[in-house]
Amino acid sequence: MSAAEAIRNRATLERFHTATNSGDPDTVAKAMDAFVAPDVRFHAPVPMGATGVAALKQVWEVLLRAFPDLHVTVEETVAEGDKVVSRNRVTGTHLGEYRGLRPTGRTVDYSEIFVLRFAEGRIVEIRGVVDVLAQLRQLGALPS
């Protein structure tokens, strides 16, 4: 993989983040169709039974329903070969049901790291670590 391809993959991820920060579920779904392979391998905390891009779409539907103002701030990105690593800070206000929790009105501020593998300009594999413990503590679901 050339350095130019790594730069293109990084730019694709930036466009994807722009779409997810729109807060519009339709915009997010269209971005997934454009930037993510339909059979993407998704290795992240997803308790739903779906696979591929359908699993990713479900995750974002749940997140945007629970946190309509969800915002992902990219703090660091490294692109090398066919992979892009993104370390992010996520913020949002809990205004909808989430993981069985009724809306609390509380804000969350947590970290995540994703390693994305690209092929032919699309995301084909996602590995993620999300600080769900911090998220749930901030929502009052777990003691701090």
Side-chain angles (χ1 to χ4, degrees), residues 25-86:
D26 290 334
T27 299
V28 174
K30 287 176 185 172
M32 287 181 202
D33 290 337
F35 305 131
V36 180
D39 59 347
V40 64
R41 294 181 58 211
F42 192 30
H43 314 278
V46 287
M48 300 101 184
T51 60
V53 75
L56 188 58
K57 285 180 179 181
Q58 282 185 350
V59 166
W60 277 96
E61 286 172 16
V62 167
L63 286 171
L64 290 174
R65 193 169 37 247
F67 305 95
D69 62 345
L70 190 79
H71 186 80
V72 178
T73 301
V74 177
E75 294 187 326
E76 185 175 12
T77 305
V78 178
E80 184 175 313
D82 64 349
K83 292 188 177 76
V84 178
V85 178
S86 183

